Amino acid sequence: MTDVASQHTEIEGSYTPADITDVHSISSGKDAEELKQDYSEEDSEVPEPAIDIPKKPASAYLSVCIMCVMVAFGGYISGWDSGTIGGFESHTDFLARFGSTSGSGKRYLSKVRTGLLTSMFNIGQAIGCFFLGRLGDMYGRRIAIIVASIIFIVGTVIQIASVKAWYQYMIGRIVAGLGCGIIAISSPMLISEVSPKHLRGAMVSCYQLMITMGIFLGYCANYGTKRYDDSTQWRVPLGLQFAWCLFLVGAMLFVPESPRFLIEKGRYEDAKRSIAKSNKVSPDDPAVIMEADEIQAAIDKERAEGEATWGDLLDTQHKILPRVINGIMLLALQQLTGANYFFYYGTLIFKAVGLEDGYETAIVFGVVNFFSTFVALYLVDRFGRRTCLLWGAAGMTCCMVVFASVGVARLWPKGKNGGVTSQGAGNCMICFSCFFIFCFAVSWAPVPFVIISESFPLKVKAKGMALATVSNQMWNFCIGFFTPFITGAINFYYGYVFLGCLVFAWFYVFFFVPETKGLVLEDVNVMWEEGVLPWKSAAWVPPSERSADYDVAAMANDDTPAWKKMFGK
């Protein structure tokens, strides 16, 4: 054991060979009471070494980042679908095959058909999350992603094979959505469990980065195929989805499995190798052994409490129910920001503001969305999840006020049917739409996925994430399906609906969403169980790092007036 100590002098904090022996004892299965007996009666207290896995230079984590990006590529598949479907519904061949005929002989998609073709993908995702989300718990996160990719391929085949029946195309989207639903749970979960804690926020945010890249390149694909006058317009972008799925399947052969899944299945040594691979240290490093033992202890505790059921999500004693509500609300509010109003119907919105070639301007949205998400990779671990959500909601509120107000009061000087559009108003709306997308991309796009991936204990993690993702997809469906009807009735007054949701989102985050930056997943669970107040959570200290005068009760109580909580320090 002294050889191990000499190899790891760079570990933050000092420890003695006796400390390492203590850690080894923990890994051998001794509980706390047995360890106390190992010390002589003269010892006034039992040392509790808190050995942290040493941080290395950023360049040392390049391979880890690449592995996480490969897992996050599952988000690219979903983003590609979001980026292409809006363009498909404007392609002449797609309209000729799946549209209706107006009295003048023009082919068009009715509001009902447009809503169903756009949003039934989200219904498939919701079903996949709810009924198939536990594949990762049963067979491993990697196997679940592979199965999801195969299901998505089947759905794509059904869509490509559609000739005249719009409902066949819709069924294919539902099947493809099943696969994306599994990916929506398994990808963020796997990333959160294999990435180093100080990089976890950025790595989980890569899932959203891949979504934005998929949306952007989907827009580009639509622009590139619009010049054709046959099914090439939509079948080529659809066919490319085969390549994306095959890449994702191949990537799963190179990434480590979740150490939490491995320990749950009794594969302790494999779990140590997984932790070591992610943190660029030796599997026999004392810090690796300690982290593996902490995971083992958490799993043993959950096993002693029995197998998880859906009823366990209602548990208030261990603060599971508040976490479930938190996940459901955050992913619902992510949709209610109104971002997908722009992404799904960007082409139609730009036509409304006087820009006939909506494909080109939609690409501008895609560029802003994609490159802004790179900023999020830095912000989420630099300033924290909670801060990003609060500032993001505030920024989007300002942008939506301008967008909706200009659209209502200035876009059509002589009324909607007056035949005159204000170019200046249109340019203003496009500008603030881009600002809105920037604020969304650096905050509410990635951060809710980060939070739900690290909030739940392993026992109910899949179920909790499933309900949160179902909430996301159902609201996504509602926005995709009802937006054509709502905009047809109230036009840009629709923006005020999202404005109200954004104001509510700010207050919800302030009062209910705690900060989880820089904590290992087991410490996040402890923080929730201690009932820490969200606005105090940034100052919370894990048990292993507390001093003797640390006041646990003070973190769970506050007599400060509400207005001082929000605006005072």
Side-chain angles (χ1 to χ4, degrees):
M1 294 304 293
T2 54
D3 291 337
V4 175
S6 65
Q7 293 171 8
H8 298 281
T9 56
E10 74 274 23
I11 295 178
E12 295 179 1
S14 61
Y15 54 89
T16 65
D19 291 331
I20 300 174
T21 304
D22 188 35
V23 174
H24 181 68
S25 298
I26 296 173
S27 69
S28 302
K30 288 188 177 183
D31 58 26
E33 292 302 321
E34 290 175 319
L35 285 173
K36 289 179 183 178
Q37 297 173 6
D38 289 341
Y39 293 91
S40 64
E41 294 180 356
E42 289 80 7
D43 291 330
S44 59
E45 59 181 25
V46 179
E48 295 180 358
I51 305 175
D52 236 350
I53 293 179
K55 293 183 182 180
K56 296 181 178 294
S59 58
Y61 295 100
L62 179 60
S63 61
V64 176
C65 293
I66 292 174
M67 287 189 298
C68 289
V69 168
M70 289 194 295
V71 178
F73 191 78
Y76 177 89
I77 296 173
S78 177
W80 179 270
D81 180 90
S82 297
T84 54
I85 185 60
F88 289 174
E89 291 167 355
S90 299
H91 284 330
T92 54
D93 186 78
F94 195 89
L95 293 172
R97 290 174 182 272
F98 306 120
S100 304
T101 304
S102 66
S104 61
K106 184 178 179 181
R107 299 290 288 179
Y108 74 102
L109 286 173
S110 67
K111 289 182 174 64
V112 172
R113 198 169 296 185
T114 299
L116 288 174
L117 287 174
T118 300
S119 58
M120 289 306 289
F121 182 81
N122 306 119
I123 293 296
Q125 281 189 290
I127 295 172
C129 291
F130 193 82
F131 292 102
L132 300 175
R134 276 189 54 81
L135 283 177
D137 284 345
M138 294 186 290
Y139 305 109
R141 300 4 173 186
R142 296 188 305 167
I143 296 298
I145 293 174
I146 291 172
V147 171
S149 300
I150 295 171
I151 294 174
F152 190 89
I153 287 174
V154 173
T156 301
V157 170
I158 296 173
Q159 292 174 73
I160 289 179
S162 303
V163 178
K164 291 290 184 182
W166 69 271
Y167 48 84
Q168 179 183 342
Y169 191 91
M170 182 187 72
I171 291 171
R173 284 183 59 73
I174 295 174
V175 174
L178 290 174
C180 265
I182 301 170
I183 291 173
I185 292 178
S186 302
S187 284
M189 184 187 296
L190 179 56
I191 297 170
S192 71
E193 293 175 348
V194 301
S195 55
K197 69 178 183 181
H198 64 286
L199 296 176
R200 188 172 65 237
M203 292 299 96
V204 176
S205 296
C206 284
Y207 180 78
Q208 180 63 29
L209 176 66
M210 290 293 104
I211 291 178
T212 61
M213 186 168 77
I215 292 173
F216 166 53
L217 294 181
Y219 286 156
C220 293
N222 281 338
Y223 182 74
T225 58
K226 71 171 186 174
R227 68 192 66 182
Y228 295 95
D229 56 6
D230 57 12
S231 63
T232 300
Q233 289 179 327
W234 55 277
R235 280 188 168 134
V236 167
L238 271 180
L240 286 172
Q241 291 177 340
F242 290 113
W244 314 146
C245 289
L246 291 175
F247 174 84
L248 184 59
V249 170
M252 291 305 100
L253 303 178
F254 298 96
V255 300
E257 182 55 89
S258 161
R260 286 159 180 81
F261 169 78
L262 293 171
I263 289 179
E264 188 177 31
K265 297 302 181 183
R267 297 163 59 183
Y268 185 87
E269 293 301 320
D270 289 340
K272 287 202 306 179
R273 284 190 285 272
S274 177
I275 296 170
K277 184 175 182 180
S278 297
N279 291 278
K280 311 301 289 182
V281 294
S282 164
D284 295 321
D285 190 294
V288 171
I289 296 173
M290 175 165 281
E291 183 166 330
D293 286 335
E294 288 176 352
I295 297 171
Q296 180 73 68
I299 291 174
D300 289 343
K301 179 183 175 183
E302 290 166 3
R303 282 176 176 163
E305 295 171 353
E307 185 176 350
T309 65
W310 287 102
D312 289 328
L313 296 180
L314 303 177
D315 180 3
T316 55
Q317 180 182 354
H318 299 96
K319 303 295 191 297
I320 302 299
L321 180 59
R323 288 182 249 188
V324 172
I325 295 173
N326 211 34
I328 290 173
M329 288 298 297
L330 282 176
L331 284 187
L333 289 170
Q334 185 197 56
Q335 292 299 324
L336 291 172
T337 60
N340 276 345
Y341 166 58
F342 295 102
F343 293 139
Y344 284 155
Y345 298 102
T347 304
L348 302 177
I349 292 172
F350 291 134
K351 286 184 178 179
V353 300
L355 298 170
E356 286 303 319
D357 194 347
Y359 293 102
E360 293 182 2
T361 322
I363 289 176
V364 174
F365 265 9
V367 169
V368 173
N369 189 32
F370 176 51
F371 287 102
S372 297
T373 309
F374 282 100
V375 180
L377 301 185
Y378 169 76
L379 295 180
V380 68
D381 278 324
R382 174 65 178 83
F383 297 103
R385 291 70 160 133
R386 179 180 162 84
T387 302
C388 287
L389 290 178
L390 289 172
W391 281 101
M396 286 187 287
T397 298
C398 297
C399 293
M400 188 61 79
V401 167
V402 176
F403 176 84
S405 299
V406 172
V408 168
R410 293 288 183 266
L411 181 59
W412 295 300
K414 297 183 179 181
K416 182 179 179 182
N417 299 319
V420 178
T421 302
S422 169
Q423 189 64 44
N427 291 338
C428 177
M429 293 176 72
I430 295 297
C431 179
F432 276 90
S433 296
C434 290
F435 282 131
F436 179 95
I437 295 301
F438 171 79
C439 293
F440 176 75
V442 301
S443 59
W444 281 83
V447 175
F449 289 112
V450 176
I451 291 175
I452 68 164
S453 72
E454 59 191 14
S455 292
F456 298 102
L458 185 63
K459 180 181 179 181
V460 296
K461 191 169 189 176
K463 289 183 171 67
M465 290 184 67
L467 283 185
T469 309
V470 167
S471 166
N472 183 269
Q473 295 306 325
M474 294 308 297
W475 281 106
N476 203 339
F477 166 79
C478 290
I479 291 172
F481 182 79
F482 291 110
T483 289
F485 299 97
I486 297 173
T487 54
I490 63 175
N491 296 315
F492 292 104
Y493 282 102
Y494 193 23
Y496 292 123
V497 176
F498 296 123
L499 176 62
C501 294
L502 285 166
V503 173
F504 173 79
W506 192 95
F507 283 98
Y508 180 83
V509 170
F510 185 87
F511 286 107
F512 296 103
V513 180
E515 183 57 72
T516 54
K517 178 181 73 116
L519 302 175
V520 298
L521 298 181
E522 285 67 34
D523 285 339
V524 173
N525 187 55
V526 173
M527 181 178 69
W528 272 99
E529 290 185 345
E530 289 185 353
V532 175
L533 295 173
W535 53 91
K536 289 188 172 185
S537 57
W540 183 79
V541 178
S544 60
E545 301 173 15
R546 292 173 183 171
S547 60
D549 60 348
Y550 183 81
D551 190 350
V552 176
M555 299 300 294
N557 298 279
D558 194 352
D559 295 326
T560 307
W563 66 273
K564 285 189 176 181
K565 293 182 179 65
M566 291 184 286
F567 304 111
K569 287 291 185 183

